[in-house]
Amino acid sequence: MQKIPSSEITPEHIYLNRRQFMKTAGVAASAALLAACGVKTSPETPTSDASGSAAEPMEEGAEVAGQEMTDELGDAANSFEEITNYNNYYEFTFDKEGVAPLAEDYPTSPWEVEVGGLVNNPTTFTMEDILSQFDQEERIYRLRCVEGWSMVIPWEGFALSKLLDVVEPTSAAQFVQFQTVLDPENMPGQNSGWYSWPYIEGLRLDEAMNDLTLLATGLYGKQLLPQNGAPIRLVVPWKYGFKSAKSIVRIDLVDAMPENFWKIANPREYGFYANVNPEVPHPRWSQASERRIGELGRRPTLMFNGYEEEVAYLYEGMNLRANF
Ligand SMILES: Nc1nc2c(c(=O)[nH]1)N[C@H]1C(S)=C(S)[C@@H](COP(=O)(O)O)O[C@H]1N2
Ligand SMILES: [Mo]
């Protein structure tokens, strides 16, 4: 049996475009990168006040039961261990196995999400509000990273559309912008001048209203751990993983296409739509196949990550190569 060399998986950060490089080269980039790689902070341990917790913590048995969970295609869910120890979360570090140890004490309670912009009812939700107003359900989704790896994750959460219904987008609203937490004191990666912080993302309003689009607060029946984007993160399963922004603090309805973190970093390589598409290669690698974490070898990547029936209507008549 052959082992997949990790060189087959291409980190998003390896190449910034030349303009970005020229722009940031002067700003003590080496010191910033050192900070991103080396500094381990020790934020205050979060208070034991459990009021902000998402799901009731469950006994360890949930993981064992979870091993038998499958997605609708019959593929087994990844283990809790895999999902919580192999992460992309550049606010902490670009080392996927380094995120969990750096993030474990990150304080995620208390937490608020401000929702505003082009809405009739701008609202600031505490996590307690969110958990009491919106019933949490389980959704077992595939997550396909643009780098060429994937997992199956049993999320707990609720449809973003339910939250948008409460704030009532006005007729002028066409897009949704998500802003995630800015906290360079506790997030070593945010001291890197290579990137534009905070991490932001966006969706077209109809994409945001699609029933698959989830605000996740837990996985495997437990509240999210910091490395997975606690206490609340977006999950858009038919798009590359970078659209699924972690640790959201602000949501705005807007009338123009929002910026997004990876497109700002490298617009030649990362677009706004980022729909999973095996036929449109990344400029530096094919997207035709992927490595499911925990498996040897590669499996074919599915159009819209296997959610074509649910979402193809959103892109009728659109050129998916131009709108990558
Ligand atoms: N705020 C923030 N959200 C983020 C990222 C990040 O670096 N920062 N990485 C994205 C990428 S590239 C992926 S693949 C997924 C990974 O989610 P997971 O670690 O929960 O599996 O989170 C996405 N959301
Ligand atoms: Mo990713």
Side-chain angles (χ1 to χ4, degrees):
M1 275 192 284
Q2 114 242 43
K3 198 173 174 225
I4 304 300
S6 61
S7 58
E8 265 187 42
I9 291 179
T10 317
E12 281 146 322
H13 73 267
I14 293 292
Y15 294 76
L16 292 174
N17 71 12
R18 184 154 181 86
R19 193 170 51 90
Q20 183 74 10
F21 179 80
M22 300 308 283
K23 212 172 68 187
T24 51
V27 298
S30 57
L33 279 174
L34 269 181
C37 304
V39 176
K40 187 171 165 116
T41 59
S42 317
E44 294 289 296
T45 308
T47 55
S48 55
D49 173 10
S51 51
S53 60
E56 287 298 310
M58 283 179 59
E59 333 71 84
E60 293 304 312
E63 289 163 55
V64 179
Q67 302 287 5
E68 288 142 32
M69 285 180 187
T70 59
D71 65 10
E72 82 286 5
L73 303 178
D75 289 333
N78 282 89
S79 69
F80 186 79
E81 277 293 296
E82 288 166 332
I83 297 167
T84 57
N85 287 287
Y86 189 85
N87 304 99
N88 265 333
Y89 202 162
Y90 275 52
E91 284 85 336
F92 290 100
T93 169
F94 49 74
D95 167 15
K96 281 183 254 298
E97 280 153 31
V99 173
L102 277 175
E104 70 182 345
D105 293 328
Y106 190 74
T108 58
S109 173
W111 194 275
E112 288 180 351
V113 182
E114 248 180 287
V115 189
L118 301 171
V119 298
N120 293 325
N121 304 316
T123 310
T124 298
F125 296 91
T126 65
M127 277 312 290
E128 293 78 4
D129 297 335
I130 287 175
L131 294 167
S132 63
Q133 279 185 48
F134 305 104
D135 290 339
Q136 308 294 301
E137 50 183 295
E138 179 179 76
R139 302 272 188 106
I140 305 178
Y141 283 161
R142 293 170 290 288
L143 176 105
R144 167 59 155 86
C145 177
V146 72
E147 297 166 332
W149 55 268
S150 64
M151 294 203 202
V152 175
I153 304 181
W155 301 107
E156 311 281 321
F158 61 101
L160 171 63
S161 66
K162 294 189 176 159
L163 181 138
L164 296 179
D165 287 343
V166 170
V167 298
E168 289 180 22
T170 69
S171 57
Q174 292 184 51
F175 293 88
V176 187
Q177 170 154 38
F178 303 87
Q179 187 179 314
T180 79
V181 67
L182 182 65
D183 185 2
E185 264 179 52
N186 293 310
M187 296 181 134
Q190 286 190 337
N191 295 297
S192 161
W194 287 90
Y195 297 107
S196 167
W197 306 108
Y199 194 105
I200 53 174
E201 258 305 339
L203 293 171
R204 233 170 45 195
L205 184 55
D206 56 353
E207 298 177 318
M209 292 300 291
N210 185 280
D211 184 59
L212 287 179
T213 305
L214 200 69
L215 283 171
T217 58
L219 61 84
Y220 268 122
K222 308 176 199 224
Q223 63 191 84
L224 285 181
L225 295 179
Q227 59 264 42
N228 294 108
I232 185 163
R233 61 94 56 89
L234 186 64
V235 181
V236 193
W238 72 94
K239 293 177 178 282
Y240 291 120
F242 68 79
K243 297 298 289 181
S244 294
K246 295 178 169 180
S247 303
I248 289 169
V249 296
R250 209 188 148 86
I251 300 175
D252 283 295
L253 282 287
V254 296
D255 60 5
M257 184 180 282
E259 301 258 32
N260 54 307
F261 179 86
W262 278 106
K263 185 167 179 248
I264 297 168
N266 194 336
R268 207 180 69 83
E269 299 195 351
Y270 307 104
F272 172 80
Y273 283 97
N275 291 313
V276 175
N277 190 335
E279 283 158 28
V280 178
H282 183 277
R284 290 182 283 121
W285 59 87
S286 164
Q287 294 290 25
S289 71
E290 66 200 55
R291 184 170 75 93
R292 179 67 48 84
I293 298 304
E295 287 181 4
L296 294 169
R298 298 180 74 86
R299 52 165 70 212
T301 286
L302 304 174
M303 187 62 201
F304 295 118
N305 204 21
Y307 301 99
E308 193 166 9
E309 263 179 48
E310 290 90 340
V311 302
Y313 76 93
L314 293 164
Y315 310 104
E316 258 164 42
M318 254 178 75
N319 178 339
L320 298 179
R321 231 163 247 280
N323 295 285
F324 64 99

